[in-house]
């Protein structure tokens, strides 16, 4: 499998319902909860791509473009964007849609950087 095919095969999509226990006093999804979900989806995409032990080393610019109300459905989409020697960047988008209406909107976008590590927690080359 070539690099483009591996990137396509590792795309990760997760759907969730936004329940009240994950919202703040404005009845919108907590920003920290959104970031945790994004990191998890990014981790899945990075691991699926590399099949190695991957750890998050940074989150880069997370833009909250639209609030995510309770009672909506969200889709998190993780895509490997760049692969280096020992690290990779994964982009994650959160789309929000009303349960009983058509259409969806991009609500949050961010990037995460992961590093492949060995059993001694030292960075290692990403196998391509």
């Amino acid at each position: 499998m070539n690099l483009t095919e591996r990137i396509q095969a590792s795309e990760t999509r997760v759907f969730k319902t936004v329940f009240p226990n994950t919202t703040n006093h404005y009845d919108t999804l907590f920003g920290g909860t959104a970031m945790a979900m994004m990191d998890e989806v990014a981790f899945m995409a990075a691991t699926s791509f590399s099949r190695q032990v991957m750890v998050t080393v940074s989150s880069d610019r997370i833009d909250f473009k639209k609030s995510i109300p309770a009672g909506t459905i969200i889709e998190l989409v993780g895509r490997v964007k760049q692969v280096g020697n020992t690290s990779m960047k994964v982009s994650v988008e959160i789309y929000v849609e009303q349960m009983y209406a058509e259409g969806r909107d991009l609500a949050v976008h961010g990037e995460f950087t992961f590093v492949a590590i060995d059993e001694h927690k030292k960075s290692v080359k990403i196998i391509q």
Side-chain angles (χ1 to χ4, degrees):
M1 188 179 310
N2 68 35
L3 181 62
T4 302
E5 292 169 332
R6 282 184 68 193
I7 288 172
Q8 289 173 347
S10 66
E11 181 176 285
T12 302
R13 294 175 175 269
V14 173
F15 287 87
K16 292 189 171 282
T17 304
V18 180
F19 290 109
N21 66 326
T22 61
T23 63
N24 58 29
H25 58 291
Y26 295 115
D27 287 330
T28 59
L29 185 66
F30 276 114
T33 302
M35 291 169 61
M37 290 177 185
M38 292 173 77
D39 186 33
E40 182 178 1
V41 168
F43 167 79
M44 287 188 254
T47 302
S48 178
F49 175 88
S50 69
R51 299 299 174 182
Q52 293 172 268
V53 177
M54 303 296 293
V55 294
T56 308
V57 293
S58 72
S59 58
D60 307 324
R61 189 179 173 117
I62 297 176
D63 294 317
F64 294 85
K65 300 175 180 294
K66 184 175 176 67
S67 61
I68 301 174
T72 55
I73 297 169
I74 59 173
E75 179 185 19
L76 296 101
V77 181
R79 295 181 184 97
V80 173
K81 290 295 184 185
Q82 182 181 9
V83 181
N85 279 335
T86 61
S87 67
M88 74 174 68
K89 283 200 179 279
V90 179
S91 171
V92 179
E93 298 169 326
I94 301 179
Y95 294 91
V96 62
E97 58 186 77
Q98 299 300 318
M99 283 193 193
Y100 309 110
E102 294 293 323
R104 64 191 221 150
D105 295 306
L106 177 62
V108 185
H109 175 268
E111 288 192 352
F112 296 79
T113 302
F114 288 82
V115 170
I117 61 169
D118 65 14
E119 63 276 4
H120 305 292
K121 299 185 175 143
K122 302 280 189 206
S123 61
V124 295
K125 184 170 177 51
I126 294 174
I127 302 165
Q128 295 189 42

